[in-house]
Amino acid sequence: MKRETIVHLIKDWRVALLLLLVAGSLIGIYLTPPNPANGLEGNLQFGLDLQGGSWLQMEFQSVVVAYSTDKPVGDLIENLQKSLEVDVVQIDQNHLEIRKSVSRADLEPLFAASDAKIVTYHEGVSAFTADEVKRILNDKVNALGMQDARINLLTPTGSEYPQYVRIELAGVDMATAQEIVGKQGMFEIRIQTSGNETEHVLFGDQITSVGVPQRDTRSQAWGVGFTLSDAGADAFRDAALKYGAIDNPNAHNLVMLLDNKTVYSAPLSGDLAAQLRSAPVRSLSASTGTGDAGLEAAMTLEIHLRAGALPVKVDVVGSGSVPAALGEHFKTTVAIAGLFALLTVGVVIYYRYREPSIVIPMLAINFSEIIILLGIARFIQQLDLAAIAGLIAVVGTGIDQLVIITDEVLHEGRVPSPSLYMKRYGRAFGIIAVSAATVMFAMLPLALMDLSTLRGFAIITILGVLIGILVTRPAYGKIIMEILSK
């Protein structure tokens, strides 16, 4: 191909867009940030299958019950908490979350004692609690610098309440994985004395329970309630008296720290200061503001108050690990399989057309599509065996679509007149678009489900279809027109 033809192609917006995305993908893989120690792998994120690591599947020790009663629901909750010695949370007007694994047969007498009946019974947790567990685990993983983690909530068929949480940690052994799940941080409450100076009041082990975020009906401010032990309440009152927080609350903020990082700071309210003047107070509430920002802050503060502990007990019901050496073996095998697939496709295409000027652009477009996919996956998707299978599938379907375009526009080895070419190309692109839409709709349910073994395949396939329709197929149409017209 002559230099003038190449320059003319590069100036075309379709080819320019393709080159721009390829360059951006290579920058994303190798230069943001530079990681020469990883060689050709760059900044790609590999999953458990290819890097080695561990996975844990845990079952929530909790049940959700729908109830009916003519008595105040507060009395029912209080009686359940006393009888079971566990947190009971009201999800809505008709449902309670009992944060303990207890059978329906054991619950029915307790409900009957409070003049209530169980309407439905499900093992699992509410959506709010499940999301909170996921947030806490994400925070723990991110705090340790482990970005190659996958956390999925699993809901049994026929239920709307998640019953399991599965966490996959690439490059982490089983002991470390279990420590991440169970480890708590160091939570501390301090009081401002003067200026930026603070003094210790109590540690997190003096917090006996933490509530869920609630909004004050008068001020509309969100907040999180928590309860101190008797010793914690005494220490809290003594510090407030000693440092003058009761007489001048605004000059003595209450500071909460998690692992020596400040997570909350605010003065005592006037009502709380007045109560502390006469006696210790066990039940406290930290206000976080109004609106969505206040709710988000309250949800975060609840996690901090628990010092990283999960709001509901979990039991490990399944676990496994992939040795690092086996992961490296899988990675090598996958690389060989991908290269073999690309070469096989090249041989088949050459056998069909017997023309290097057609085969080389086809393979180049196909290869550029893989680079763009890897560049996107570097930010949003781990590369596990399922994702690699999606890449290989994209290679096959991509070549199929390029063959359709080539066969449709090829006329005795030459491109017909521009108007006839556009008509033939439009017909070929229509066939491809319908095929692509079918694949996308077929893959969409798998991409949205929490089926960790299939999501990667579905996501990569959908991305490959979109890149093909929007970028590589239009660019190939322009390139093949220039080549065959010579």
Side-chain angles (χ1 to χ4, degrees), residues 21-36 38-47 51 145-150 369-384 387-388 391 456 459-460 463 467:
L21 289 177
V22 169
S25 298
L26 291 173
I27 290 173
I29 295 172
Y30 293 108
L31 298 178
T32 56
N35 202 351
N38 285 349
L40 290 176
E41 296 176 8
N43 294 306
L44 293 175
Q45 299 182 42
F46 292 98
Q51 190 171 330
M146 298 178 183
Q147 297 181 353
D148 297 339
R150 179 181 292 170
E369 196 169 321
I370 298 300
I371 293 176
I372 296 172
L373 267 175
L374 291 175
I376 296 174
R378 176 257 183 275
F379 296 99
I380 67 170
Q381 175 67 37
Q382 288 183 353
L383 294 177
D384 53 15
I388 297 298
L391 286 173
I459 290 173
I460 291 296
L463 287 175
I467 292 169

Side-chain angles (χ1 to χ4, degrees), residues 180-250:
I180 289 171
V181 174
K183 182 181 178 182
Q184 291 184 237
M186 187 185 75
F187 185 83
E188 182 185 12
I189 295 180
R190 301 178 69 88
I191 193 168
Q192 183 182 0
T193 55
S194 61
N196 293 325
E197 298 296 321
T198 61
E199 288 292 334
H200 169 75
V201 178
L202 56 90
F203 287 112
D205 58 359
Q206 298 296 326
I207 298 176
T208 58
S209 65
V210 180
V212 296
Q214 293 185 343
R215 184 165 53 186
D216 187 273
T217 54
R218 291 179 299 174
S219 65
Q220 298 299 305
W222 288 95
V224 181
F226 59 99
T227 304
L228 301 177
S229 65
D230 290 335
D234 290 337
F236 186 78
R237 180 174 184 265
D238 292 344
L241 287 169
K242 180 179 179 179
Y243 298 109
I246 290 178
D247 298 322
N248 187 10
N250 291 329

Side-chain angles (χ1 to χ4, degrees), residues 75-256:
D75 294 342
L76 172 61
I77 293 175
E78 184 178 353
N79 292 338
L80 289 172
Q81 288 176 332
K82 288 181 179 179
S83 301
L84 298 171
E85 296 181 348
V86 72
D87 288 340
V88 178
V89 179
Q90 185 173 9
I91 301 173
D92 53 39
Q93 290 183 346
N94 302 313
H95 291 83
L96 295 178
E97 180 182 88
I98 301 172
R99 292 178 172 176
K100 184 178 182 179
S101 182
V102 55
S103 67
R104 179 167 184 165
D106 291 336
L107 283 177
E108 285 178 340
L110 300 178
F111 274 75
S114 300
D115 294 326
K117 289 179 60 178
I118 296 178
V119 179
T120 61
Y121 171 96
H122 294 279
E123 294 181 343
V125 296
S126 64
F128 178 86
T129 301
D131 289 340
E132 186 179 3
V133 168
K134 194 170 182 178
R135 280 164 55 95
I136 292 172
L137 291 175
N138 271 318
D139 286 348
K140 286 184 175 186
V141 168
N142 293 335
L144 294 174
M146 298 178 183
Q147 297 181 353
D148 297 339
R150 179 181 292 170
I151 300 169
N152 291 313
L153 300 169
L154 306 177
T155 304
T157 304
S159 174
E160 58 182 297
Y161 303 107
Q163 189 175 348
Y164 302 94
V165 58
R166 179 185 171 98
I167 178 170
E168 298 180 5
L169 296 169
V172 176
D173 59 53
M174 182 61 68
T176 305
Q178 292 177 337
E179 182 183 358
I180 289 171
V181 174
K183 182 181 178 182
Q184 291 184 237
M186 187 185 75
F187 185 83
E188 182 185 12
I189 295 180
R190 301 178 69 88
I191 193 168
Q192 183 182 0
T193 55
S194 61
N196 293 325
E197 298 296 321
T198 61
E199 288 292 334
H200 169 75
V201 178
L202 56 90
F203 287 112
D205 58 359
Q206 298 296 326
I207 298 176
T208 58
S209 65
V210 180
V212 296
Q214 293 185 343
R215 184 165 53 186
D216 187 273
T217 54
R218 291 179 299 174
S219 65
Q220 298 299 305
W222 288 95
V224 181
F226 59 99
T227 304
L228 301 177
S229 65
D230 290 335
D234 290 337
F236 186 78
R237 180 174 184 265
D238 292 344
L241 287 169
K242 180 179 179 179
Y243 298 109
I246 290 178
D247 298 322
N248 187 10
N250 291 329
H252 302 278
N253 274 17
L254 195 68
V255 183
M256 300 181 184

Side-chain angles (χ1 to χ4, degrees), residues 63-81:
V63 297
V64 177
V65 296
Y67 66 92
S68 63
T69 182
D70 295 329
K71 300 294 181 66
V73 67
D75 294 342
L76 172 61
I77 293 175
E78 184 178 353
N79 292 338
L80 289 172
Q81 288 176 332

